[in-house]
Amino acid sequence: MALVTEELKAKAEIYSGDALCQEKCQFLLKEVGLPNGLLPLKDILECGYVAETGHVWLKQRKKTEHCFKKVGRLVSYGPEITARVEKHRITKLTGVKAKELLLWVTLTDISFDGEAKVTFHSSTGLYRTFPADAFMAEEDGKK
């Protein structure tokens, strides 16, 4: 998906502020059946969702990096992330890269088998599958 257009914004539910956007982000991941830790973003300025098409966007103050320790992968989330979501899938993903050896690989799709495995697809056609529990956020109070 390209940039967020005014036409797209006119059809969307739009939220502002980090706390509300974090809550909506978690709700969306739960609604489409994806692990709740896939989007560990910080300082989110705006998020939008078009229910009829599944288009979603997130804008954060600056790029953030997160290391998924259980699988030893560093992921970079750009200031603007766009995607299309559907049951157990994220497609047309932009703004997310994963470090593979010494290279940053652009991620384009994420799929979940609904039980135990998450598969990440890159723009080059490469893909990697990991255990889903590596992408679950810890609940408040649990370590």
Side-chain angles (χ1 to χ4, degrees), residues 82-100:
T82 62
R84 184 174 172 272
V85 295
E86 56 190 69
K87 189 71 173 170
H88 299 299
R89 290 184 56 117
I90 295 176
T91 60
K92 299 182 181 180
L93 181 64
T94 67
V96 181
K97 295 180 181 184
K99 192 158 193 182
E100 187 68 32

Side-chain angles (χ1 to χ4, degrees), residues 16-89:
S16 298
D18 186 57
L20 182 59
C21 289
Q22 292 284 353
E23 181 183 316
K24 294 298 180 181
C25 200
Q26 291 301 308
F27 178 76
L28 180 63
L29 289 171
K30 183 179 179 183
E31 283 295 302
V32 296
L34 291 167
N36 65 349
L38 277 177
L39 296 170
L41 305 177
K42 296 178 182 154
D43 208 7
I44 304 173
L45 302 171
E46 177 182 285
C47 62
Y49 176 59
V50 181
E52 69 183 45
T53 61
H55 286 97
V56 89
W57 71 88
L58 301 152
K59 292 181 182 180
Q60 54 183 353
R61 193 167 306 281
K62 62 182 181 176
K63 175 182 96 166
T64 61
E65 291 182 353
H66 179 79
C67 182
F68 291 98
K69 293 179 181 164
K70 290 183 180 179
V71 292
R73 290 293 190 269
L74 184 63
V75 178
S76 172
Y77 297 88
E80 185 169 336
I81 298 162
T82 62
R84 184 174 172 272
V85 295
E86 56 190 69
K87 189 71 173 170
H88 299 299
R89 290 184 56 117

